[in-house]
Amino acid sequence: SQLEVYTRIGENLLQLTRPAVQRMLVERDTAELKTYMSALSSDRAIAAIDITDHRGISLYNFRRDFEMANWVTRLMTTGTDTPRTITADFRLAGKNRGQMQITLSYRPLNSKVIAALVNSLATSTMILLVTLGLVYSFLARFTRPLKPLTELAQEYARGNWVATDTLIESGTK
């Protein structure tokens, strides 16, 4: 599903950034780490990034308004309402050097699901209107010959046994 794809992209992103972040942690280069993470956090799919050293001290912390999955997204993806957090530990020579957590936002997924729903509704409405128009035109064409017969039957019911009417050709064979 789309939710699994976003999660997999987040995991791949974490794996791609892991070597660079690990190097910056070992070198204690927090200025470069901040620049690197600022570029990474510009993506609206990322709600939070937390990087801590081996003692749990925060080296980088980024937060933005976290958008939860709306009811349409939950309905269409059968996802949960919990934040999707991906964690990676940085180890060097068997020692823990720190940890990085990326929390993904539902914002891009919500907007795509709503856009797909709106497009589906618009397409369904157009198909329904075209179908109704075709059904109406076919019914009008096929029932047109019945109108003179109905009028003739009403005249006979009133007692006018000499009533005549011209029949309409339906155009079908």
Side-chain angles (χ1 to χ4, degrees), residues 131-158:
T131 302
L132 287 175
L134 287 173
V135 166
Y136 177 78
S137 66
F138 284 136
L139 285 176
R141 180 177 176 192
F142 292 137
T143 59
R144 190 175 310 126
L146 295 177
K147 187 173 183 180
L149 287 175
T150 304
E151 291 172 359
L152 190 60
Q154 288 174 349
E155 288 294 319
Y156 286 149
R158 290 186 195 111

Side-chain angles (χ1 to χ4, degrees), residues 1 3-14 86 104:
S1 76
L3 187 60
E4 292 167 349
V5 169
Y6 274 119
T7 303
R8 211 170 28 251
I9 289 171
E11 289 169 351
N12 291 340
L13 177 68
L14 187 61
I86 305 163
L104 302 176

Side-chain angles (χ1 to χ4, degrees), residues 66-108:
F66 179 72
E67 186 172 320
M68 298 300 286
N70 61 25
W71 67 273
V72 179
T73 302
R74 285 193 308 269
L75 179 71
M76 296 188 71
T77 61
T78 62
T80 63
D81 207 17
T82 59
R84 297 166 294 152
T85 301
I86 305 163
T87 304
D89 290 323
F90 299 115
R91 297 197 170 279
L92 190 62
K95 288 185 175 182
N96 184 6
R97 294 291 181 182
Q99 186 180 59
M100 180 175 173
Q101 284 187 337
I102 295 178
T103 303
L104 302 176
S105 174
Y106 283 92
R107 182 182 307 267

